[in-house]
Amino acid sequence: QVQLQESGPGLVKPSQTLSLTCTVSGGSISNSNYYWSWIRQPAGKGLEWIGRIYTSGSTNYNPSLKSRVTISVDTSKTQFSLKLSSVTAADTAVYYCARVAGDRGGDFDYWGQGTLVTVSS
Amino acid sequence: DIQMTQSPSTLSASVGDRVTITCRASQNINGWLAWYQQKPGKAPKLLIYRASSLESGVPSRFSGSGSGTEFTLTISSLQPDDFATYYCQQYNSYRTFGQGTKVEIK
């Protein structure tokens, strides 16, 4: 059973960089049938896709966040990571990592439990 | 950007009711649509992919249909465990979610 687990600071100061890591277990992060995404959800609001990474390292980002987002992968550690720069209070949200079922088009078939990141001084 | 619009935003229903949620895309998404269920404090759970394919382990009372720009999620007989928020999501171009439909107890 594939499991994903987010980790990282729960509090980030405004203008700083948010950094999160997702550790994948129970399956290979290098399987080319899948790729990996970050999604966030502000309290009481809907879901926003942040971006995705293939195990080749190729990335795609939400155009609204593209200038501030970097997603990377470390297959040796079965982890992928998110960096979001110049954060503001609007970036406060629960951040989820998810597996993308690339072999059937790209739905999110496995999710981490989510981690709350608060942007505040 | 492809916009996804769900209706209704909130739905009040009783156990045993047939429930239908609609999702409309701003352009043709070629059937690349998924439905998720989310309960408070939990991650979303995949129910339906490719508009009408039931994810493994999901009860058969859930079904999806539609094409082009209009899609529906139907729960044939609402069960107590089904009270939750439901999201549609397109994956024809990048990823966009609908705003959610909360199914609450009538």
Side-chain angles (χ1 to χ4, degrees), chain A residues 59-80:
Chain A
T59 54
N60 297 99
Y61 300 131
N62 186 324
S64 68
L65 298 169
K66 186 176 182 178
S67 64
R68 299 194 292 131
V69 175
T70 302
I71 298 176
S72 59
V73 65
D74 185 337
T75 55
S76 66
K77 294 183 179 179
T78 66
Q79 293 177 337
F80 63 106

Side-chain angles (χ1 to χ4, degrees), chain A residues 35-39 49-67 69-72 81-82 100 108, chain B residues 93-95:
Chain A
Y35 45 102
W36 309 92
S37 258
W38 288 96
I39 298 132
W49 176 71
I50 298 171
R52 66 185 179 200
I53 188 164
Y54 297 81
T55 51
S56 64
S58 174
T59 54
N60 297 99
Y61 300 131
N62 186 324
S64 68
L65 298 169
K66 186 176 182 178
S67 64
V69 175
T70 302
I71 298 176
S72 59
S81 299
L82 168 70
V100 186
F108 302 114
Chain B
S93 174
Y94 295 115
R95 304 288 184 271

Side-chain angles (χ1 to χ4, degrees), chain B residues 24-105:
Chain B
R24 187 170 287 110
S26 59
Q27 64 189 71
N28 183 4
I29 56 172
N30 299 298
W32 297 114
L33 184 101
W35 289 96
Y36 302 85
Q37 176 193 68
Q38 187 179 34
K39 295 182 178 179
K42 300 294 187 182
K45 173 188 173 183
L46 177 65
L47 300 174
I48 302 286
Y49 64 95
R50 199 67 175 100
S52 60
S53 295
L54 191 68
E55 174 68 343
S56 176
V58 174
S60 58
R61 63 181 179 272
F62 291 93
S63 64
S65 64
S67 63
T69 62
E70 192 137 340
F71 301 85
T72 59
L73 172 71
T74 299
I75 309 172
S76 60
S77 178
L78 197 66
Q79 298 302 299
D81 191 48
D82 301 339
F83 292 97
T85 300
Y86 294 84
Y87 292 93
C88 63
Q89 176 238 328
Q90 67 83 18
Y91 46 105
N92 182 72
S93 174
Y94 295 115
R95 304 288 184 271
T96 317
F97 292 89
Q99 80 278 18
T101 295
K102 184 177 182 180
V103 177
E104 59 181 26
I105 301 172

Side-chain angles (χ1 to χ4, degrees), chain A:
Chain A
Q1 178 80 349
V2 175
Q3 293 186 323
L4 295 88
Q5 178 69 57
E6 304 90 350
S7 59
L11 181 64
V12 181
K13 288 182 167 42
S15 80
Q16 294 191 342
T17 296
L18 178 161
S19 295
L20 295 174
T21 296
C22 182
T23 301
V24 180
S25 59
S28 173
I29 198 171
S30 300
N31 187 326
S32 60
N33 287 325
Y34 306 108
Y35 45 102
W36 309 92
S37 258
W38 288 96
I39 298 132
R40 69 180 183 179
Q41 184 173 37
K45 297 189 178 180
L47 298 156
E48 181 180 35
W49 176 71
I50 298 171
R52 66 185 179 200
I53 188 164
Y54 297 81
T55 51
S56 64
S58 174
T59 54
N60 297 99
Y61 300 131
N62 186 324
S64 68
L65 298 169
K66 186 176 182 178
S67 64
R68 299 194 292 131
V69 175
T70 302
I71 298 176
S72 59
V73 65
D74 185 337
T75 55
S76 66
K77 294 183 179 179
T78 66
Q79 293 177 337
F80 63 106
S81 299
L82 168 70
K83 291 189 186 298
L84 181 66
S85 64
S86 305
V87 297
T88 69
D91 295 309
T92 294
V94 175
Y95 285 75
Y96 295 102
C97 59
R99 189 178 83 167
V100 186
D103 56 342
R104 59 188 200 194
D107 53 273
F108 302 114
D109 62 349
Y110 284 94
W111 296 63
Q113 65 185 26
T115 188
L116 174 63
V117 178
T118 302
V119 179
S120 175
S121 55

